[in-house]
Amino acid sequence: MADSTVIPKDKTELLSTKPSREGWWLPMLVLVMIALVPFARFVDAYNYVLQVGIALLMWVTLTTSWNILGGYTGYISLGHNVFFGIGGYTAALLFTHFGISPFIGSVLAGFVALLLGVLAGFITLRTRGPAFIISTIALLLVTTLWFDNWEFVGGVNGMSLPLIPLPLSFVKVPFYYAMLVAAVGSIWLGYRIAHSKLGLALRAIAQDEVKAEVAGIDTRRLKITAFALSAFFPGVVGAIWGYNLSYLRPLIFFTIAVAAQMVLMAIIGGRGSVAGPVIGAFLIVGLNEVSISQFGGSELNLVITGLILVVVLLFFPMGIVGSLREAGRLPASLDWD
Amino acid sequence: MSLLKVEDLTKSYGGLRAVDGASFGVQQGSVTALIGPNGAGKTTAFDIISGVVEPDAGVVIFDGEEITGAMPHVATRQGLGRTFQITRELGDLTVLENMLVPTIKADTRSLLGPKVRRDERDRAMDLLAFAGIDKLALEPAKRLSYGQRKLLELMSVMMADPRLVLLDEPAGGVNPVLIEKIMDRIETLNGSGVSFLIVEHNMEVVMRLSSWVIVMAHGKVLLEGTPAEVQQDERVLAAYLGEA
Ligand SMILES: Nc1ncnc2c1ncn2[C@@H]1O[C@H](COP(=O)(O)OP(=O)(O)O)[C@@H](O)[C@H]1O
Ligand SMILES: [Mg+2]
């Protein structure tokens, strides 16, 4: 054991029972800047900028939520977009049939997703490892099949929603702020879990389930809890996204590419950390935008994005946050754990 | 009074009867030793008692309640702790976090509460200081040596305030100075009411700590008695020699 790894006796504040606030100004500054973007009404392509922002904040929410189960708990779900889609359809139905605004409906959609998360967790969490991944893919396939054939919501053709009654230069603003609230909410949830005994229990489960059980953890109950919590915000942002697009089709929500993107962002940024998925979402959405503007929406764009990701993973095999932490080089502003 | 009682425990792996109708008990307040040659079925018996392995037959009664085949957390929550012969530390978690895992309670308030409370941290650090690994508290547990891992496991079990602790070869791979300290600690804890069931090959440890010894061979209880009685019994020697 190298002596350099030993904590000096007088540095017991390192064992603080409270999370450090060091370096917090940077994420807060970024948050304020993001919150101010809709005021930049003078920029060209104002609505386009907001639309990219809406998608970015949506991905931050999706991957951060996925991370509760896939990162902290170690159960890789490739079907989490099920909750995203069900959230979208729930809010759309509440809107078209009961006139409930999807912004309010999004909260209900989140709770529907949460309840379905309990049910899905109850079934799929009887397996682990590769079998769990496959069972979540099965969940996605079954859900897709259901929605493709459910005429009440338009089947494969989908359903359309009334546009939000606002002048064109304002239509994106409410969606932008709704997504921002969801993103902050999901990060807050992830942060709270990471700093609670629940988070410790989930990480113990990810490491060694038998040991966690013997240490007194009801692993099955907490795994289902993690599954349900990780389904809530995807339901919320599904509702907002559906209204933002003003039409819903199974193809928008239920392709495995959506789930794969959540996984990818979390892995690139650092699975299991609080900041990792956020960074992963910024990186991949940013990369996509740059590469589309440079190379158009061609295949080349995909190749270049893929190459950059491979390079990132070569240098940061545990994701950006994970590898920087391992090397002792994680700046305090990115250490939210 | 028996704090733990097992009756007719049986567990086969393929054609092999790892535990073959074993019955024994642990008296409240005692330090009981479970000895026997390698492959006698001691660890498998621990696995069944703690709920890690489901028995083919038999019952486990802890503090008057049957817990046969229950999930391990059930036994743990009722005050039955255990360590593993081959340590199972949570390698990516820090040493301190390993100590805190047993403090997690089932109720929502505790689950959503802070990861570490001041009193828990102080208690964990005291135990780690006792084991001489407090300076490694913030290191990932995977960086510990084998002996240190054994100590960490022993100390983390204590964090849950168990009434009975099953120790699977606590002295294995630990240096003699620390073995001495561990024995002292077990005696102290026993003095404050914690009962122990200890699997151990180090006979010095067995003789000094235990008031009752159970000998297992081929999955069965061969005999039991006081340390002096067992030491003199030729069947015990025969069982150990038979292993060679
Ligand atoms: N998981 C397992 N699968 C197959 N055989 C096992 C398993 N666990 C233990 N055994 C076998 O059961 C017998 C008893 O093992 P064990 O309980 O570890 O004995 P002890 O702890 O007394 O040395 C041994 O022959 C061992 O090889
Ligand atoms: Mg053994």
Side-chain angles (χ1 to χ4, degrees), chain B residues 24-183:
Chain B
F24 57 85
V26 176
Q27 290 297 307
Q28 169 82 54
S30 75
V31 176
T32 302
L34 179 63
I35 66 168
N38 277 323
K42 307 178 297 291
T43 296
T44 306
F46 272 20
D47 285 344
I48 296 170
I49 294 166
S50 59
V52 171
V53 159
E54 216 172 314
D56 301 332
V59 287
V60 180
I61 296 163
F62 178 62
D63 201 18
E65 222 173 294
E66 190 181 335
I67 53 166
T68 323
M71 292 294 281
H73 73 266
V74 174
T76 308
R77 293 251 167 89
Q78 290 183 20
L80 197 159
R82 80 164 282 188
T83 64
F84 290 90
Q85 181 179 347
I86 296 161
T87 58
R88 291 186 89 137
E89 69 289 333
L90 304 163
D92 287 345
L93 272 59
T94 66
V95 169
L96 180 61
E97 283 169 340
N98 270 268
M99 294 291 287
L100 295 169
V101 170
T103 67
I104 299 168
K105 304 278 188 301
D107 60 296
T108 313
R109 248 188 81 200
S110 156
L111 281 172
L112 297 182
K115 185 167 88 176
V116 46
R117 291 203 323 253
R118 193 170 292 273
D119 56 319
E120 292 164 346
R121 180 203 60 193
D122 292 347
R123 180 131 182 264
M125 290 309 289
D126 279 350
L127 284 165
L128 290 175
F130 169 79
I133 50 177
D134 55 323
K135 290 187 174 157
L136 302 165
L138 298 183
E139 293 295 315
K142 63 184 168 206
R143 303 236 175 106
L144 297 184
S145 71
Y146 185 74
Q148 289 171 329
R149 289 175 199 196
K150 285 236 97 137
L151 291 168
L152 171 60
E153 203 159 73
L154 180 63
M155 295 305 141
S156 70
V157 167
M158 297 310 164
M159 289 295 290
D161 289 318
R163 285 179 292 153
L164 171 64
V165 185
L166 314 183
L167 299 178
D168 203 345
E169 305 195 15
V174 179
N175 76 56
V177 180
L178 272 171
I179 293 179
E180 194 62 39
K181 285 186 79 179
I182 290 174
M183 285 199 285

Side-chain angles (χ1 to χ4, degrees), chain A residues 129-167:
Chain A
F132 175 78
I133 301 178
I134 290 166
S135 70
T136 57
I137 296 174
L139 173 74
L140 176 58
L141 293 179
V142 169
T143 312
T144 311
L145 212 65
W146 174 277
F147 276 88
D148 277 351
N149 293 291
W150 193 15
E151 285 311 320
F152 186 65
V153 297
V156 282
N157 298 319
M159 60 195 285
S160 57
L161 299 177
L163 289 173
I164 192 164
L166 283 174

Side-chain angles (χ1 to χ4, degrees), chain A residues 20-190:
Chain A
S20 147
R21 293 275 149 91
E22 196 196 338
W24 266 49
W25 62 272
L26 187 59
M28 287 305 157
L29 184 69
V30 172
L31 179 60
V32 169
M33 281 165 60
I34 290 174
L36 289 177
V37 166
F39 290 90
R41 302 191 56 82
F42 46 84
V43 296
D44 298 336
Y46 174 75
N47 273 353
Y48 172 75
V49 170
L50 288 196
Q51 180 67 12
V52 171
I54 290 167
L56 169 65
L57 294 167
M58 177 186 85
W59 283 112
V60 165
T61 311
L62 288 174
T63 186
T64 295
S65 302
W66 178 90
N67 190 45
I68 295 171
L69 184 67
Y72 303 165
T73 323
Y75 277 75
I76 309 285
S77 165
L78 271 174
H80 248 52
N81 50 329
V82 160
F83 307 105
F84 177 52
I86 282 179
Y89 276 96
T90 301
L93 289 175
L94 287 171
F95 189 31
T96 51
H97 291 266
F98 301 100
I100 298 171
S101 158
F103 293 115
I104 295 162
S106 67
V107 179
L108 294 168
F111 282 106
V112 170
L114 184 97
L115 288 177
L116 285 171
V118 173
L119 188 68
F122 195 81
I123 297 162
T124 57
L125 287 167
R126 293 191 180 283
T127 60
R128 69 183 58 164
F132 175 78
I133 301 178
I134 290 166
S135 70
T136 57
I137 296 174
L139 173 74
L140 176 58
L141 293 179
V142 169
T143 312
T144 311
L145 212 65
W146 174 277
F147 276 88
D148 277 351
N149 293 291
W150 193 15
E151 285 311 320
F152 186 65
V153 297
V156 282
N157 298 319
M159 60 195 285
S160 57
L161 299 177
L163 289 173
I164 192 164
L166 283 174
L168 187 62
S169 69
F170 280 99
V171 283
K172 292 295 171 193
V173 176
F175 296 107
Y176 186 91
Y177 281 114
M179 282 296 186
L180 182 59
V181 170
V184 170
S186 67
I187 295 169
W188 175 83
L189 179 67

Side-chain angles (χ1 to χ4, degrees), chain A residues 272-273 320-330 334-337:
Chain A
S273 65
I320 293 168
V321 169
S323 291
L324 284 177
R325 176 175 293 133
E326 187 84 348
R329 286 167 180 269
L330 185 64
L334 292 183
D335 192 355
W336 306 351
D337 294 284

Side-chain angles (χ1 to χ4, degrees), chain A residues 5 58 80 113 121 136 165 175 198 224 244 286 310 317:
Chain A
T5 62
M58 177 186 85
H80 248 52
T136 57
F175 296 107
L198 173 61
I224 293 173
N244 178 47
V310 168

Side-chain angles (χ1 to χ4, degrees), chain A residues 195-253:
Chain A
H195 289 269
S196 68
K197 289 207 189 287
L198 173 61
L200 183 62
L202 297 181
R203 285 169 59 218
I205 288 170
Q207 280 264 293
D208 181 345
E209 247 169 83
V210 173
K211 173 69 187 212
E213 269 284 335
V214 167
I217 295 169
D218 185 346
T219 56
R220 181 153 170 79
R221 185 176 144 238
L222 292 196
K223 283 189 291 181
I224 293 173
T225 305
F227 201 124
L229 291 175
S230 76
F232 180 80
F233 278 107
V236 172
V237 292
I240 301 166
W241 189 244
Y243 192 25
N244 178 47
L245 296 178
S246 84
Y247 67 92
L248 297 92
R249 277 191 305 154
L251 211 62
I252 295 170
F253 295 97

